[in-house]
């Protein structure tokens, strides 16, 4: 009963923390990514098509957004009174809560001398602190933590990666009781260089086969791991870089008999086979995938990529918030290193699992940064592991810390302040989600009233399209009026022709054959509507 109370308290605190984080991020310019960014709206657009029973022929990028769409669709169904922006805000809170759940799983089970709930909250708090330092409206800024709040910038892949490494840790923890020995060196990793010791030395604990059977975790952890790996790989091949590759490297090292030995083989095979199965499942889904992944890699751009990421880091480090985030990240990485090579008391049977978790926390960010540069990529969102992976070091060995009685009073005061902050954050979230946008309203009202079909380019058209009574009235085209089937429902292109175009500052200069004359230009703040009612424009061949 006491354990259940602790878990419930942990979830309640996580709800409060998540609400505060979303409230703060939504109150900054970063809300542009949360509510109005062209990429961020794909899940809401797909969910609307599903709920309105449209004919679905969506073309995605390399990411299918399957878990994200499922979560948003459920929230949209359960919260019909909320606006689209309101549901996106609730989804942001849910994403953070899911991250807490994944971290709590990775922290291991409760046992004497351990405080996994408290340390999981500390880890969520550390991640939240990183998100709170991120205030740029740019999707290209090196501000990866706050991307988890969106429905599309790989939130499910972040959760999947943490779940995967957490399930491997749980497998190691469950298996450790049958192989742990208090006479072994204090660090299993460093014991590779120590003199060999007999597993049956006088101080070692031995267990019978019957005891091993009772302590064995059964297939549950591995079955769950296989499901996470398959689903995550199907929905986003980036999971291979964020989770599969690092785990395979670490598990191969763990195969050494002085580390985990044979128990590391099963999760290694599960991760490898699950990743292969996930990629195979993507083959029959290729008709809805615009780019299988090859288009994202440009190894010849290595130097430009290094310069690009270096410039982003430099821009981040010239601000006080960026310096604070860098200092916190560095501290978390040092904790991961410390808990990898100095895991603590030799009697803690969960050392191997905790060490793997800590090693993942520093190895994955390092490998991801190097890999992103070697592949010549130019996208800050690929570096999200630098935000979420290091916080796992905090739950690698979540030991109880004995605090003076006065700290209990401090903790109670902190809990009340957190609850008050959560309550105060709700109006802030509501204000951000319902903030008037007269420019978009102008476009939406004009298009609804016209009853006609028009078009616009990707970054321009997606927000008005989502808010229309009939999203098919705005067709996504490129600057030459070719159908742009990137994160779009290809049924829209059946319209054949357009009678107006919507443009804004992000619109690339139009190149229209014959240079037709406009009937009128309607100003809508940052938007302009170019009316071609008397000279309809043909939609060209589709491209992605």
């Amino acid at each position: 009963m006491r354990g259940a109370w602790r878990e419930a308290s942990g979830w309640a605190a996580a709800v409060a923390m998540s609400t505060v984080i979303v409230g703060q991020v939504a109150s900054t310019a970063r809300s542009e990514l949360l509510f109005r960014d062209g990429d961020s709206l794909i899940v809401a657009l797909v969910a609307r098509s599903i709920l309105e029973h449209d004919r679905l022929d969506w073309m995605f990028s390399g990411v299918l957004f399957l878990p994200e769409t499922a979560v948003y669709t459920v929230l949209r169904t359960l919260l019909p009174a909320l606006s689209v922006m309101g549901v996106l805000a609730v989804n942001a809170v849910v994403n953070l809560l899911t991250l807490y759940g994944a971290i709590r799983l990775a922290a291991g089970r409760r046992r004497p001398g351990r405080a996994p709930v408290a340390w999981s909250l500390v880890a969520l708090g550390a991640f939240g602190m990183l998100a709170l330092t991120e205030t740029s409206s740019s999707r290209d800024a090196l501000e990866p933590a706050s991307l988890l709040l969106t429905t599309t910038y790989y939130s499910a892949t972040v959760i999947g990666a943490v779940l995967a490494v957490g399930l491997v840790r749980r497998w190691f923890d469950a298996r450790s009781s049958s192989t742990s020995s208090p006479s072994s060196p204090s660090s299993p990793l460093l014991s590779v260089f120590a003199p060999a010791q007999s597993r049956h030395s006088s101080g070692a604990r031995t267990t019978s086969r019957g005891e091993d059977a009772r302590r064995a975790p059964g297939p549950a952890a591995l079955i769950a791991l296989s499901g996470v790996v398959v689903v995550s790989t199907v929905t986003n091949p980036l999971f291979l870089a964020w989770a599969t590759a690092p785990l395979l490297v670490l598990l191969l090292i763990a195969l050494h008999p002085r580390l985990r030995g044979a128990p590391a083989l099963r999760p290694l095979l599960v991760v490898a086979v699950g990743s292969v199965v996930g990629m195979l499942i993507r083959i029959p889904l290729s008709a809805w995938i615009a780019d299988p992944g090859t288009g994202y890699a440009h190894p010849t751009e290595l130097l430009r990529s290094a310069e690009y990421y270096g410039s982003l880091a430099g821009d981040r480090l010239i601000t006080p918030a960026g310096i604070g985030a860098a200092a916190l990240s560095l501290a978390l990485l040092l904790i991961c290193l410390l808990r990898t090579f100095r895991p603590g008391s030799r009697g803690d049977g969960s050392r191997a699992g905790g060490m793997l978790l800590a090693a993942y926390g520093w190895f994955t960010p390092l490998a991801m940064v190097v890999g992103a540069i070697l592949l010549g990529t130019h996208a800050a969102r690929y570096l999200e592991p630098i935000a979420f992976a290091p916080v796992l070091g905090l739950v690698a060995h979540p030991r109880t810390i004995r605090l003076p009685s006065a700290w209990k009073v401090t903790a109670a005061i902190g809990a009340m302040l957190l609850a008050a902050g959560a309550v105060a954050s709700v109006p802030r979230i509501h204000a951000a989600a319902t903030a008037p946008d007269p420019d978009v309203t102008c476009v939406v009202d004009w298009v609804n009233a016209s009853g006609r079909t028009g078009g616009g380019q990707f970054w321009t058209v997606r927000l008005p399209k989502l808010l229309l009574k009939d999203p098919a009235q705005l067709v996504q085209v490129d600057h030459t009026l070719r159908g742009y089937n990137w994160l779009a429902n290809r049924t829209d292109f059946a319209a054949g022709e357009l009678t107006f175009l919507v443009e804004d500052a992000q619109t690339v200069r139009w190149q229209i054959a014959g240079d037709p004359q406009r009937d009128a230009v309607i100003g809508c703040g940052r938007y302009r509507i170019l009316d071609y009612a008397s000279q309809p424009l043909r939609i060209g061949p589709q491209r992605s």
Side-chain angles (χ1 to χ4, degrees):
M1 184 65 184
R2 187 176 180 183
W5 170 250
R6 286 178 179 173
E7 294 292 346
S9 299
W11 280 100
V15 170
M17 292 172 65
S18 300
T19 305
V20 171
I21 294 167
V22 173
Q24 177 57 31
V25 173
S27 299
T28 69
R30 202 68 174 159
S31 64
E32 187 71 19
L33 249 63
L34 188 59
F35 298 126
R36 289 173 286 277
D37 179 71
D39 276 342
S40 299
L41 302 178
I42 175 61
V43 164
L45 284 163
V46 174
R48 179 172 179 179
S49 291
I50 293 172
L51 294 174
E52 294 180 358
H53 307 290
D54 293 340
R55 188 166 71 87
L56 304 179
D57 189 18
W58 282 88
M59 175 62 78
F60 297 94
S61 56
V63 186
L64 294 173
F65 307 109
L66 301 178
E68 295 95 332
T69 301
V71 171
Y72 181 90
T73 303
V74 170
L75 292 176
R76 175 77 276 182
T77 303
L78 296 176
L79 304 169
L82 290 185
S83 66
V84 170
M85 307 308 170
V87 177
L88 288 172
V90 174
N91 206 145
V93 175
V94 171
N95 286 351
L96 285 169
L97 277 175
T98 309
L99 177 64
Y100 168 77
I103 292 172
R104 174 63 192 89
L105 176 92
R109 64 182 181 85
R110 295 187 310 276
R111 64 178 65 171
R114 292 172 53 132
V117 173
W119 282 108
S120 296
L121 289 172
V122 172
L124 178 64
F127 183 86
M129 289 299 295
L130 292 175
L132 294 181
T133 67
E134 301 175 354
T135 59
S136 170
S137 62
S138 173
R139 68 184 69 88
D140 297 319
L142 190 59
E143 300 183 350
S146 56
L147 294 181
L148 180 70
L149 276 62
T150 70
T151 57
T152 48
Y153 282 121
Y154 315 143
S155 54
T157 309
V158 172
I159 304 301
V162 177
L163 284 175
V165 68
L167 286 165
V168 174
R169 190 257 172 85
R170 287 285 182 132
W171 166 261
F172 279 177
D173 282 3
R175 299 288 295 177
S176 63
S177 60
S178 63
T179 58
S180 62
S181 169
S183 62
S184 61
S186 62
S187 170
L189 188 62
L190 298 179
S191 69
V192 174
F193 307 102
Q197 297 183 27
S198 169
R199 290 194 179 190
H200 301 287
S201 59
S202 59
R205 278 177 50 194
T206 58
T207 56
S208 67
R209 287 189 177 184
E211 288 173 319
D212 286 350
R214 288 194 297 271
R215 287 178 177 137
L222 296 183
I223 291 174
L225 177 62
S226 65
V228 168
V229 172
V230 170
V231 172
S232 297
T233 304
V234 169
T235 194
N236 188 0
L238 196 58
F239 180 82
L240 300 177
W242 288 6
T244 298
L247 280 174
L248 290 181
V249 170
L250 295 174
L251 287 170
L252 281 170
I253 296 173
L255 280 174
H256 192 285
R258 298 303 297 272
L259 295 176
R260 289 306 297 148
L265 181 60
R266 290 187 187 179
L268 187 151
L269 292 175
V270 167
V271 171
V273 173
S275 297
V276 172
V277 171
M279 292 302 293
L280 291 175
I281 294 175
R282 286 177 63 86
I283 294 176
L285 301 177
S286 59
W288 296 277
I289 300 174
D291 190 333
T294 54
Y296 294 94
H298 306 279
T300 57
E301 298 286 315
L302 183 153
L303 295 179
R304 286 190 178 183
S305 179
E307 181 181 359
Y308 172 77
Y309 290 117
S311 176
L312 291 183
D315 292 341
R316 185 86 168 108
L317 291 174
I318 63 174
T319 64
I323 294 172
L328 177 56
S329 296
L330 180 59
L332 292 171
L333 287 170
L334 290 175
I335 290 172
C336 287
L337 284 167
L338 180 65
R339 294 188 173 179
T340 300
F341 296 100
R342 297 180 63 86
S345 65
R346 61 183 65 181
D348 186 355
S350 66
R351 282 178 306 162
M355 287 175 62
L356 179 131
L357 201 63
Y360 177 89
W362 63 264
F363 175 73
T364 304
L366 176 63
M368 196 63 236
V369 170
V370 173
I373 293 174
L374 291 178
L375 291 175
T377 62
H378 294 78
R381 61 187 179 275
Y382 297 159
L383 304 185
E384 280 190 68
I386 68 175
F388 73 81
V391 303
L392 296 179
L394 294 169
V395 295
H397 304 287
R399 298 185 183 90
T400 301
I401 298 177
R402 301 295 180 185
L403 298 174
S405 299
W407 279 94
K408 296 182 179 180
V409 177
T410 303
I413 294 174
M416 289 188 291
L417 290 176
L418 182 61
V423 172
S425 294
V426 172
R428 301 179 73 191
I429 296 173
H430 179 266
T434 59
D437 190 337
D439 299 347
V440 172
T441 301
C442 173
V443 173
V444 171
D445 289 346
W446 190 93
V447 175
N448 282 334
S450 74
R452 294 188 271 137
T453 300
Q457 295 175 29
F458 182 88
W459 298 110
T460 301
V461 78
R462 297 179 70 79
L463 178 58
K465 181 180 179 68
L466 176 62
L467 301 177
L468 286 172
K469 291 180 181 178
D470 180 8
Q473 281 186 266
L474 276 178
V475 180
Q476 188 171 286
V477 295
D478 67 8
H479 66 292
T480 64
L481 299 188
R482 296 180 65 184
Y484 189 46
N485 58 351
W486 182 267
L487 305 182
N489 194 342
R490 287 174 290 192
T491 59
D492 291 349
F493 303 125
E497 61 181 25
L498 311 173
T499 59
F500 63 88
L501 298 174
V502 180
E503 65 177 18
D504 65 0
Q506 300 182 88
T507 299
V508 177
R509 184 180 179 85
W510 297 105
Q511 295 180 12
I512 305 174
D515 194 20
Q517 296 299 308
R518 310 159 185 163
D519 296 333
V521 177
I522 298 91
C524 283
R526 67 180 183 273
Y527 296 98
R528 291 202 316 165
I529 302 173
L530 313 180
D531 194 352
Y532 291 93
S534 62
Q535 299 184 66
L537 310 171
R538 295 295 303 174
I539 300 176
Q542 297 177 30
R543 78 170 186 87
S544 60

